[in-house]
Amino acid sequence: MTFNYDIIVVGGGHAGCEAAAAAAGMGSKTLLITMDMNKIAQMSCNPAVGGIAKGQIVREIDALGGHMGIVTDKTAIQFRMLNRSKGPAMWSPRAQSDRARFIDAWKDILEHHPNLHIWQDTVQELIVAENRVHGVKTGMNVEFRANAVVLTNGTFLNGLMHIGRTQLKGGRISEPAVKGLTEQLVGLGIKADRMKTGTPVRIDGRSVHFEEMDEQPGENDFHKFSYLEQSHRQLKQLSCWMTLTNENTHDILREGLPDSPLYNGQIQSIGPRYCPSIETKIVTFADKNQHQLFLEPEGETTEEYYLNGFSSSLPIEIQLRALQTIPAFRDIQIYRPGYAIEYDFFDPTQLHHTLETKQIKNLFFAGQINGTTGYEEAAGQGLMAGINAHINCHGGDAFILGRDEAYIGVLIDDLVTKGVDEPYRMFTSRAEYRILLRQDDADMRLTEKSHQLGLAKQDRYDQLCKKKEIRDRIISFMENTSIKPQHINNSLEQLETTPLSHGCKLIDLVMRPQITLEKLAAIVPVLQQELNKVSDPRKEEIIEAAEILMKYSGYIKREKVIADKINRLENIRIQGKFDYNNIQSLSTEARQKLTKIDPETIAQASRIPGISPSDINILLVLLGR
C-alpha cells in the first residue's frame, strides 16, 4: 500500500513532535511515524525542561508558536528561575515535569492537530531518486510518499546500551534499535559517526531517607515558559533534594573501573564533556572527595526519582554498593540501573542552515541525529526543520534565524559551521549577543516573524501587540514623569541609595541597581496609579519586561550596534563563487575547511574554526571589497 503526504517526520521525540506540529500548523499534510505512540515526547533522561541557556531556547520555541513551553507549564511539578543573582541576560527558567503527563499532553496536541496523522511503525528505508527524497518504507512494508522527510531518530540508529560488560541493542531501555537507515545514508554519501550518552539510576523514593538530604523547593511566582495566558502551576509542586558522594562512594566506584565500558575499551565513541558520568568525574577530578547529587521527582504521584549527577554505565552491583555508602541511600531500592548508550549521528556540517542535507534535496535532520544533546536543543531544531520542510514544499524564502536573533540561531549556526567533536549542549557563553537574547523578550524577537510565516496564530500575535503597547506605555510614563528631591529623598535613604540633589525623571531612578519598579511604585503614588491601570493577566511579566529594557538600555543599544556591524558580513554571499582549492593565497587548512563547509556568507566563513582574519581578507579582496 502507498499513502501520500506533503511531509513525513520520522521519530516521535522532542524534535519530531515540534517538527510535525510546525509543518502541520503551517498547512502541510503531515505524517508522524513513531515506534510507540505511548512514548511520544518521552523524557528519556531527566524529567526536566530548561536550565542555563536551554530555558531561553524553550521560550524561543514558544514565541515561534511551538508547544514545548505550553506542555511544560501544564505538567510542571517544580519551577525555578536560575541565575537570579546575575543580570537578566543570564536568567534561565527550568522546570521539573511529570514524565507521564508530559507524554499525555503532547499526545493530546498531536492527535487533535489539523493536517497531522500518526503511524506507529519503524522506518526501514528512505525512498531516494536523483538526489531527492520521495518518501519512506516501513517495517510493516508500507510505503509513504512525501515531498519532504524530516529524520529525528534520536539515539535509535544502531543504538547499543552498556551496563558494565553487558551490552543490549536498543535505542532506549526495552526499546529496539533501528538498523539500515545509517547504512543507506552512508551509501548516499552522508558521513556518519558514533556518539555516547548516559542516564542515571532510577530510585524508589520509599527507600530514601529524605531527612538526610537538603531540600530544594521550587518558586511560585509569575514566571513560566509559555507567553500565552493559561492557568498557573496546575499540578502539586514538589521539592528536589541534594546530597553528596563521599570517599567511600568513590572507592567503590574505582573498584568498578575495570568493568566500566568507558575505561575498558568497550565504548569508543564520543561522550559528553559537560554532563559526565560519575566514573568520569572521579577520574577527571581525582582531587575532589565529594560530588553533588540531585534527587528529582519523576511525577506528581509516582515514587520514582531521577538521580541527577550519577549517570553511570558501571555494573549494577557497583552502582548499588556505591549508592549505599551515602547516608540518605543506605536502604536504597532501585527501579533500574544507569546505563550508557552509543548511537549513530551525522556530521552536521553536511547541512544547510535550514537543516536540509546538502547531498539529498528535501531531506532534513533534527535533534541528536545532528550530534546535539538535550530535549531543548532537539525541539528547537525540530521546529526549524518542520518550518523549512513546509517552505520547501509550498514555496517561500528559507527561514533562518541569526545569531543575534535567537539561541536557536546560535545553535544551528554552530552545528553547520563548526560541526561537533562531542555532544553539543547550549550554554549562554556560546552566544555573542546574550543581552539581546534574554528569556524575557523572546516573543518580542520572534513572534512577529512566525506570524508572518503563518505558524504563530492571530491570538498569539494579538497578545504580543497588547504586551508591547503596555510595556512601551510604562516606559514612556517613566521617561516623562519628574520627581522632586523633597518628595522622595527620605525614601531613597531608606533604600540605601543616594538622595537627589535636584529633580529627575523616574526612569533615572529605576536605572539604579537598588531600585526596582515595584519599590519605586511603593514610594511614588503617581507611578503606583499608572501600574494599577494594567489589567492584563500577564501584568507582572510586562512590568518586568519594561524594567529590564529601562535598566539595561545602554547595554542593549551597544550590543545591537555591534551585531548590526557583524550582520553586514552576513549579507555578503559567497556560496558557489569560489573554487577554494585553487586560491593558493589561502592557507592549506582554510582551503580544506572552506571546501568542506562551503559557507553561505563571509560571516559564516569567519566562524569556521581554523579560518584566520587574513583568509577572510583574501576573500574580500577577491570579491572587490
Side-chain angles (χ1 to χ4, degrees):
M1 297 179 66
T2 301
F3 301 91
N4 295 306
Y5 290 87
D6 293 325
I7 296 169
I8 295 170
V9 178
V10 180
H14 302 277
C17 288
E18 292 289 0
M26 294 175 73
S28 285
K29 183 181 178 184
T30 305
L31 177 68
L32 173 64
I33 302 178
T34 180
M35 295 171 106
D36 189 345
M37 287 180 60
N38 295 313
K39 292 184 178 177
I40 280 175
Q42 167 79 298
M43 303 173 98
S44 306
C45 204
N46 62 323
V49 170
I52 307 301
K54 292 169 175 280
Q56 283 89 326
I57 291 176
V58 181
R59 292 282 266 178
E60 291 172 356
I61 290 168
D62 182 74
L64 287 166
H67 295 275
M68 179 176 258
I70 295 170
V71 170
T72 303
D73 287 341
K74 284 182 178 178
T75 61
I77 52 178
Q78 187 191 92
F79 187 96
R80 294 168 64 199
M81 184 66 74
L82 307 182
N83 275 346
R84 281 185 185 272
S85 62
K86 301 179 180 179
M90 304 296 285
W91 295 357
S92 301
R94 183 184 190 272
Q96 295 291 132
S97 279
D98 185 302
R99 185 190 298 273
R101 286 190 170 101
F102 194 93
I103 292 171
D104 290 342
W106 253 117
K107 193 163 179 268
D108 182 64
I109 288 170
L110 297 176
E111 286 182 340
H112 296 92
H113 207 301
N115 301 320
L116 178 56
H117 302 266
I118 303 174
W119 180 260
Q120 185 167 293
D121 203 345
T122 59
V123 170
Q124 302 286 347
E125 182 183 348
L126 296 172
I127 301 171
V128 179
E130 297 179 350
N131 296 323
R132 179 185 291 266
V133 71
H134 296 278
V136 301
K137 294 179 181 177
T138 75
M140 294 183 188
N141 202 30
V142 181
E143 188 173 296
F144 293 98
R145 292 275 175 167
N147 296 320
V149 173
V150 183
L151 292 185
T152 68
N153 299 79
T155 60
F156 283 81
L157 295 179
N158 294 317
L160 181 64
M161 293 171 285
H162 302 262
I163 306 172
R165 294 187 181 273
T166 300
Q167 294 182 332
L168 304 168
K169 293 181 179 180
R172 199 159 46 204
I173 201 75
S174 302
E175 296 181 58
V178 173
K179 296 186 176 297
L181 269 181
T182 298
E183 293 75 11
Q184 182 190 13
L185 288 166
V186 169
L188 292 168
I190 296 178
K191 180 184 174 184
D193 208 334
R194 298 279 280 174
M195 271 191 179
K196 170 262 172 188
T197 190
T199 190
V201 59
R202 302 305 198 271
I203 289 174
D204 186 339
R206 296 171 298 177
S207 66
V208 175
H209 293 272
F210 287 99
E211 70 278 6
E212 305 272 4
M213 306 184 80
D214 294 328
E215 186 173 6
Q216 293 186 313
E219 301 168 356
N220 200 32
D221 65 4
F222 65 91
H223 289 103
K224 51 187 174 64
F225 277 107
S226 180
Y227 292 96
L228 294 179
E229 297 172 20
Q230 56 182 300
S231 59
H232 199 54
R233 308 286 189 268
Q234 298 179 25
L235 303 182
K236 179 182 177 182
Q237 298 300 286
L238 302 176
S239 292
C240 294
W241 304 82
M242 195 273 284
T243 189
L244 297 167
T245 62
N246 54 58
E247 287 285 11
N248 292 334
T249 314
H250 298 180
D251 288 342
I252 292 173
L253 292 170
R254 290 187 191 99
E255 286 180 32
L257 289 180
D259 292 317
S260 167
L262 292 174
Y263 293 99
N264 64 14
Q266 194 171 306
I267 289 179
Q268 298 288 334
S269 51
I270 308 165
R273 186 194 326 173
Y274 299 106
C275 189
S277 65
I278 189 66
E279 53 264 41
T280 300
K281 289 179 186 177
I282 65 167
V283 172
T284 305
F285 307 105
D287 58 318
K288 293 189 177 294
N289 57 18
Q290 59 185 21
H291 293 285
Q292 289 183 326
L293 303 178
F294 300 91
L295 196 63
E296 302 173 347
E298 295 264 344
E300 184 183 27
T301 59
T302 181
E303 290 293 343
E304 186 176 359
Y305 282 79
Y306 174 95
L307 189 58
N308 202 337
F310 202 84
S311 177
S312 180
S313 57
L314 288 166
I316 296 173
E317 62 273 16
I318 294 292
Q319 294 187 42
L320 270 173
R321 285 176 53 211
L323 287 171
Q324 288 166 352
T325 65
I326 299 169
F329 299 148
R330 59 183 178 269
D331 299 315
I332 201 73
Q333 295 289 323
I334 68 172
Y335 290 112
R336 76 161 195 246
Y339 64 89
I341 181 168
E342 291 183 284
Y343 55 94
D344 296 338
F345 79 100
F346 302 99
D347 180 356
T349 62
Q350 300 168 106
L351 302 174
H352 297 292
H353 277 81
T354 59
L355 299 180
E356 181 185 20
T357 63
K358 294 176 179 177
Q359 294 89 341
I360 302 172
K361 179 69 176 172
N362 286 349
L363 176 63
F364 294 79
F365 291 168
Q368 284 182 279
I369 195 172
N370 289 335
T372 63
T373 182
Y375 311 141
E376 304 82 4
E377 291 89 342
Q381 292 172 70
L383 182 72
M384 297 297 287
I387 290 171
N388 282 299
H390 170 86
I391 290 170
N392 273 25
C393 293
H394 300 281
D397 296 329
F399 185 63
I400 298 169
L401 294 173
R403 296 180 71 91
D404 62 329
E405 293 178 310
Y407 272 94
I408 294 173
V410 175
L411 163 67
I412 293 175
D413 185 64
D414 278 353
L415 291 176
V416 305
T417 301
K418 302 175 182 178
V420 293
D421 56 9
E422 63 183 330
Y424 181 100
R425 179 180 182 180
M426 180 54 72
F427 295 101
T428 52
S429 59
R430 295 192 190 272
E432 308 93 311
Y433 311 114
R434 291 188 291 277
I435 196 71
L436 302 181
L437 306 183
R438 307 181 312 278
Q439 61 83 31
D440 67 276
D441 77 332
D443 55 343
M444 296 293 173
R445 289 184 273 123
L446 301 174
T447 296
E448 185 171 358
K449 294 176 183 289
S450 184
H451 182 252
Q452 291 172 354
L453 285 173
L455 180 57
K457 304 308 178 191
Q458 190 64 38
D459 61 335
R460 185 184 288 269
Y461 180 68
D462 290 343
Q463 287 192 39
L464 170 72
C465 294
K466 184 179 179 183
K467 175 182 175 180
K468 187 175 186 298
E469 185 273 324
I470 297 171
R471 183 201 67 183
D472 292 349
R473 190 176 72 215
I474 292 171
I475 294 173
S476 177
F477 179 85
M478 298 292 290
E479 290 173 334
N480 293 291
T481 304
S482 301
I483 189 78
K484 296 184 181 300
Q486 61 266 32
H487 296 149
I488 199 170
N489 273 352
N490 288 338
S491 297
L492 292 180
E493 290 176 355
Q494 291 176 8
L495 292 173
E496 298 183 346
T497 185
T498 306
L500 297 177
S501 57
H502 52 78
C504 70
K505 301 295 184 183
L506 290 181
I507 193 169
D508 297 323
L509 288 176
V510 86
M511 302 279 270
R512 298 185 180 188
Q514 305 92 337
I515 296 180
T516 64
L517 265 178
E518 182 181 8
K519 290 179 180 179
L520 194 59
I523 58 178
V524 180
V526 66
L527 174 58
Q528 188 66 68
Q529 292 170 12
E530 181 67 21
L531 296 182
N532 287 343
K533 294 177 184 177
V534 180
S535 59
D536 193 282
R538 301 161 301 160
K539 175 179 178 177
E540 292 168 299
E541 175 189 306
I542 297 171
I543 290 174
E544 180 183 80
E547 182 175 329
I548 289 172
L549 274 187
M550 288 186 283
K551 278 186 177 292
Y552 296 92
S553 59
Y555 298 103
I556 292 169
K557 289 175 183 176
R558 184 174 65 187
E559 198 154 276
K560 183 65 177 165
V561 168
I562 295 170
D564 288 343
K565 288 181 179 178
I566 297 298
N567 280 341
R568 293 171 195 166
L569 296 180
E570 298 286 3
N571 295 323
I572 304 175
R573 305 196 65 80
I574 59 174
Q575 195 168 59
K577 292 187 177 182
F578 297 114
D579 180 355
Y580 297 109
N581 286 321
N582 288 328
I583 305 176
Q584 296 303 312
S585 51
L586 292 172
S587 68
T588 300
E589 182 180 10
R591 292 198 300 271
Q592 292 171 347
K593 290 190 172 180
L594 288 167
T595 299
K596 177 186 176 184
I597 304 297
D598 191 18
E600 296 180 14
T601 66
I602 281 286
Q604 187 190 355
S606 71
R607 293 190 291 270
I608 298 173
I611 304 299
S612 69
S614 63
D615 294 322
I616 296 300
N617 284 335
I618 289 167
L619 296 180
L620 288 171
V621 168
L622 291 174
L623 287 168
R625 293 173 180 263

